[in-house]
Amino acid sequence: MTHSDEDFIRQRSAAAGELQPSAETQTATFGMGCFWGPDATFGAMEGVVRTRVGYAGGTEPNPSYYSLGDHTEVVQLEYDPETRSYEDLLEVFWSNHSWQTPSRKRQYRGVVLAHDDEQYETAQRTKDDLAERTETAVETAIEVLESITLAEDYHQKYELRSTPVAGDELVALYGDEFVDSTVVARLNGFVAGHGTEEQRRRVLAALDVPATVVAELRRRF
Ligand code: MHO
């Protein structure tokens, strides 16, 4: 059985239409340059239930944006494996970061941080396929995730947060749930230009927020 976004829609409160995970989710973690972009790209993807950005892939304790140490900016996704496969996510991963050129800064390197052996092997296989198909060396690393430190709130759903009027209002309306919300992940993707018209309509219809916010969002997509 496959799930559509509707399966995730649960009206949580009058103030905040919410998509909630209704199935067991799996987690994936990718470094693909500045994390604002992939937060939005994956946030718009049906089957992705949650996105969060953070710092991982290094060894130094307590990384933060201005004290990254040897860590890398990453996006971490929770997804419904019945709707999305890890391969689907990897496809988006490979086509949305520069795997041909080693990043000058470790902060922005391309990296798959695998959560288990299966992810590791799948990532390695798709990397080998890409190299073979393009006859180009792939610089992106495949490693095992040790730990992740979530980034500061102002980096989470950055595109949506920076949307005039709607950003501030949604941050206030969702409060503590802003970062983890599926709806917020979708909206963050939509304001960045991702998603289909049909998807946008569906999410907007499930959204119970003031008309001023909807109007401002509609101006963007
Ligand atoms: N766009 C920023 C990078 C921010 S990202 C969270 C810049 O060009 O400095 O690293």
Side-chain angles (χ1 to χ4, degrees):
M1 174 188 168
T2 60
H3 294 272
S4 69
D5 262 17
E6 271 84 10
D7 295 323
F8 291 99
I9 294 180
R10 299 282 182 279
Q11 234 18 49
R12 140 173 250 132
S13 74
E18 180 70 354
L19 303 170
Q20 285 283 299
S22 66
E24 286 234 356
T25 57
Q26 286 179 6
T27 309
T29 305
F30 303 117
M32 30 199 312
C34 174
F35 50 26
W36 295 339
D39 194 8
T41 307
F42 284 112
M45 249 178 116
E46 218 158 288
V48 171
V49 174
R50 206 183 303 298
T51 70
R52 293 187 297 190
V53 296
Y55 313 113
T59 55
E60 284 166 42
N62 306 319
S64 63
Y65 187 63
Y66 291 107
S67 182
L68 257 190
D70 55 353
H71 290 278
T72 297
E73 291 190 18
V74 300
V75 62
Q76 185 164 80
L77 318 167
E78 264 178 61
Y79 63 100
D80 170 16
E82 293 184 10
T83 307
R84 285 293 170 196
S85 65
Y86 190 58
E87 282 89 340
D88 292 340
L89 302 178
L90 283 169
E91 233 175 88
V92 175
F93 170 74
W94 291 117
S95 38
N96 286 278
H97 78 282
S98 34
W99 47 264
Q100 307 92 327
T101 345
S103 168
R104 279 191 307 111
K105 285 178 150 185
R106 192 169 163 91
Q107 176 176 5
Y108 298 125
R109 74 193 172 111
V111 61
V112 172
L113 292 170
H115 288 244
D116 55 34
D117 291 351
E118 200 182 324
Q119 283 194 357
Y120 189 94
E121 282 153 26
T122 307
Q124 189 61 54
R125 175 170 47 75
T126 59
K127 175 176 170 171
D128 295 343
D129 288 350
L130 179 63
E132 198 176 319
R133 204 168 60 241
T134 59
E135 297 179 356
T136 307
V138 178
E139 299 293 337
T140 295
I142 313 290
E143 296 172 6
V144 172
L145 178 74
E146 299 290 343
S147 65
I148 179 169
T149 302
L150 290 190
E152 297 79 356
D153 273 354
Y154 72 93
H155 284 301
Q156 307 288 344
K157 317 289 183 299
Y158 185 83
E159 300 288 345
L160 184 61
R161 246 175 230 278
S162 350
T163 300
V165 187
D168 286 348
E169 289 227 34
L170 289 165
V171 166
L173 277 168
Y174 278 80
D176 288 346
E177 283 160 22
F178 186 84
V179 176
D180 287 345
S181 158
T182 311
V183 167
V184 171
R186 294 284 183 280
L187 295 176
N188 184 49
F190 297 163
V191 296
H194 305 292
T196 64
E197 181 50 35
E198 196 247 323
Q199 234 190 326
R200 293 160 182 211
R201 255 204 315 269
R202 229 175 328 119
V203 172
L204 276 183
L207 196 63
D208 188 7
V209 300
T212 47
V213 175
V214 175
E216 198 56 42
L217 289 170
R218 281 215 183 274
R219 281 159 62 92
R220 301 303 182 113
F221 56 77

